[in-house]
Amino acid sequence: MNSDGVAIPAAARALRAAPRVVVATGAGMSQDSGIPTFRDAARGLWARYDPEELATEAAFRRHPARVFGWYAWRRRLVHAATPHAGYHALVALEGLVPELAIVTQNVDGLHTRVGSRRVLELHGSLERFSCLDARHPFPAERAPEPAADTECEPPRCEQCGSPVRPDVVWFGEMLPERVTAEAWALAASCRAMLVVGTSGLVQPAAQLPLIAREAGATVIEVNPDPTELSDAAHIVCRGRAGAVLPALVAALTQGATQ
Ligand code: OAD
């Protein structure tokens, strides 16, 4: 199903019928708030680096100031960003269905900032830091935030002197165990899954819609472009998260009062 005129009412019906809804979000969810998607993030100073080459432990060991500076830049963008209408729509959706959880690949914390209550962060958070060697926590308020777009030397762990890294999941690293187990259980038991703004290229997160589909849930994709997951979706809403999600909640609210 490709036309929004049909897809949005169909998606609203599927959400209304679902006792448990999971919303799986990726970088496209924050695009309308001015945070570039992961695969579109190579801008300015960072244009000469492949983001996938900045997001590894090996890169951090080789070029700590470059990698720390890249994350500091992303964190600055996030602090300056305002969550768009689609974020607020997901908060409203929580009040319209019996149970809703958000499973996000994003590290920007915008779902929580805007007031969504059950948010599972699969890839960690830009707001947490720990040291590279022992993963001792490091207070975020002491992490340097350079004013300009620049490389930035990471601080040192106060306990062991190891360089401090962002608490995000890098390529080649395991996802946090408890959060992942919970996300997988939710995907296997939901009746509808809304998949917003993810390319479906990164594993294991890309499994979630397939698990939901396999378990009998209706899978709804919200994305302006076709993705690896489009074929697995029962309903496809082609459009931006900032436009489609409010329209979806409006359709759901109208349906509820009819
Ligand atoms: P990607 O950057 O791979 O994909 C972003 C998706 O968002 C694409 O499918 C776009 O079409 C879509 N998109 C763009 N603008 C949009 C909008 N306004 N509304 C809705 N969708 C839009 O991002 P992810 O799939 O999230 O992980 O990437 C997953 C992971 O790749 C990241 O969490 C990160 C990276 O590796 C790690 O660092 C481990």
Side-chain angles (χ1 to χ4, degrees), residues 4-73:
D4 277 1
V6 187
I8 286 179
R13 276 195 300 278
L15 292 171
R16 196 177 306 123
R20 171 177 282 170
V21 173
V22 170
V23 185
T25 63
M29 179 72 205
S30 293
Q31 171 78 27
D32 292 338
S33 287
I35 302 170
T37 65
F38 195 78
R39 289 186 169 71
D40 187 32
R43 296 199 184 153
L45 174 63
W46 314 112
R48 61 193 126 125
Y49 308 117
D50 177 351
E52 299 201 12
E53 281 169 21
L54 291 165
T56 67
E57 182 182 327
F60 184 70
R61 286 193 185 276
R62 262 197 315 272
H63 305 290
R66 181 185 302 163
V67 173
F68 198 89
W70 190 65
Y71 281 97
W73 168 72

Side-chain angles (χ1 to χ4, degrees), residues 2-255:
N2 271 305
S3 140
D4 277 1
V6 187
I8 286 179
R13 276 195 300 278
L15 292 171
R16 196 177 306 123
R20 171 177 282 170
V21 173
V22 170
V23 185
T25 63
M29 179 72 205
S30 293
Q31 171 78 27
D32 292 338
S33 287
I35 302 170
T37 65
F38 195 78
R39 289 186 169 71
D40 187 32
R43 296 199 184 153
L45 174 63
W46 314 112
R48 61 193 126 125
Y49 308 117
D50 177 351
E52 299 201 12
E53 281 169 21
L54 291 165
T56 67
E57 182 182 327
F60 184 70
R61 286 193 185 276
R62 262 197 315 272
H63 305 290
R66 181 185 302 163
V67 173
F68 198 89
W70 190 65
Y71 281 97
W73 168 72
R74 289 184 71 79
R75 188 163 175 245
R76 211 172 53 246
L77 283 181
V78 167
H79 289 174
T82 306
H84 59 73
Y87 273 100
H88 294 278
L90 291 183
V91 175
L93 186 59
E94 222 171 52
L96 295 170
V97 296
E99 190 186 334
L100 180 139
I102 296 175
V103 179
T104 188
Q105 294 174 76
N106 298 346
V107 293
D108 58 30
L110 291 194
H111 287 297
T112 305
R113 196 201 296 174
V114 80
S116 284
R117 279 178 304 171
R118 192 168 179 197
V119 181
L120 280 69
E121 292 175 323
L122 285 181
H123 290 171
S125 166
L126 287 175
E127 291 307 321
R128 290 192 299 271
F129 295 85
S130 60
C131 74
L132 182 62
D133 293 327
R135 302 308 289 260
H136 294 129
F138 184 86
E141 59 278 9
R142 266 186 257 155
E145 265 197 87
D149 188 359
T150 166
E151 297 196 355
C152 171
E153 208 52 57
R156 293 274 163 177
C157 175
E158 287 153 0
Q159 294 180 62
C160 68
S162 155
V164 167
R165 56 167 282 177
D167 243 336
V168 298
V169 175
W170 280 332
F171 288 102
E173 292 182 332
M174 300 289 285
L175 268 52
E177 212 172 305
R178 223 184 38 212
V179 169
T180 305
E182 193 181 343
W184 258 242
L186 284 167
S189 60
C190 68
R191 299 304 299 164
M193 179 177 281
L194 202 50
V195 184
V196 187
T198 177
S199 58
L201 290 170
V202 173
Q203 299 292 349
Q207 292 299 314
L208 288 170
L210 309 180
I211 291 168
R213 188 187 164 108
E214 185 68 26
T218 303
V219 176
I220 305 157
E221 177 174 70
V222 178
N223 199 306
D225 296 314
T227 72
E228 293 293 308
L229 298 169
S230 299
D231 285 347
H234 299 95
I235 302 168
V236 174
C237 301
R238 282 276 163 259
R240 296 179 300 106
V244 172
L245 295 175
L248 202 48
V249 166
L252 203 60
T253 314
Q254 271 166 17

